């Protein structure tokens, strides 16, 4: 099984983190995004959208992080713990997978991308979307519960974790959100958890090479 990604990609991190937690052997391949490798024909043949992550598992090729998470859970989690099979549990996880690729990408992802990559977006607008997301959804939802769905970790937590944890790369403090911070720590304490590199550390490591 091969995962095409990049160390600074939270979308790729979700996938690598789940593989590590499930203990699934895989090869992690770094796609050179700065050199535009993801827009070259070889990569576009795997994902016409030219985005990481992509999973290649034998003759199965999948794009989109949350689709890949559901594939891996169905294939490798025989307990159905990470993606419940009952109608309500499954839909509740899907709610958060959708939040991960919509509101989290519009808020925390953009705040971080402006700082790390100089993305041409409005910082104040992205911060306001992040504030709203945390204040209206995550902090209240995580008050009185440990996990986003049910009483144990699911794909919902894995999908939402990466860009919320690393929003601090965008000089956005999580100090106003104690419930979110406690939840991030619970995710980080999961057996097999794989950390996502801090943006500044990644760029420092490049300079040191
Ligand atoms: N919906 C996709 C989004 C993937 C995505 O935006 N990947 C970024 C890296 S985090 C990318 O490859 N960007 C390059 C580009 O869009 O040109 C997913 O969940 O995997």
């Amino acid at each position: 099984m091969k995962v095409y990604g990049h160390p600074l990609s939270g979308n790729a991190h979700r996938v690598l983190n789940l593989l590590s937690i499930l203990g699934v052997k895989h090869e992690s391949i770094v796609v050179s995004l700065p050199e535009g490798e993801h827009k070259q024909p070889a990569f576009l043949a795997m994902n016409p959208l030219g985005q990481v992550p992509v999973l290649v598992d034998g003759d199965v090729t999948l794009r989109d992080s949350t689709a890949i998470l559901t594939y891996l859970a169905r294939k490798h989690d025989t307990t159905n713990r990470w993606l419940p099979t009952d109608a309500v549990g499954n839909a509740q996880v899907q709610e958060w997978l959708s939040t991960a690729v919509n509101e989290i990408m519009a808020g925390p992802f953009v705040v971080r991308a402006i700082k790390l990559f100089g993305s041409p977006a409005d910082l104040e607008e992205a911060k306001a979307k992040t504030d709203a997301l945390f204040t209206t959804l995550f902090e209240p939802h995580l008050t009185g519960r440990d996990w986003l769905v049910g009483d144990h970790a699911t794909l919902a937590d894995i999908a939402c974790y990466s860009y919320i944890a690393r929003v601090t790369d965008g000089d956005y403090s999580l100090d106003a959100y104690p419930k979110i911070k406690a939840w991030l720590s619970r995710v980080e304490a999961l057996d097999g958890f794989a950390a996502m590199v801090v943006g500044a550390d990644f760029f420092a490591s490049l300079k040191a090479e």
Side-chain angles (χ1 to χ4, degrees), residues 79-115:
T79 67
N80 293 324
R81 184 180 175 80
W82 292 92
L83 182 59
T85 48
D86 68 285
V88 174
N90 187 281
Q92 287 175 334
V93 168
Q94 296 293 338
E95 281 184 330
W96 294 100
L97 300 187
S98 176
T99 304
V101 296
N102 289 293
E103 289 81 6
I104 287 179
M105 295 302 279
F109 169 90
V110 174
V111 168
R112 175 174 175 269
I114 291 170
K115 169 78 178 180

Side-chain angles (χ1 to χ4, degrees), residues 57-75:
D57 183 19
D59 55 9
V60 175
T61 300
L62 291 171
R63 64 174 167 82
D64 197 284
S65 57
T66 57
I68 296 169
L69 292 184
T70 60
Y71 171 79
L72 292 173
R74 277 289 167 268
K75 190 165 176 197

Side-chain angles (χ1 to χ4, degrees), residues 9 11 14 38-39 50-53 64-65 101 105 109 163:
S9 165
N11 289 306
R14 294 169 181 154
H38 55 312
K39 303 298 180 193
Q51 294 178 329
V52 295
D64 197 284
S65 57
V101 296
M105 295 302 279
F109 169 90
Y163 285 117

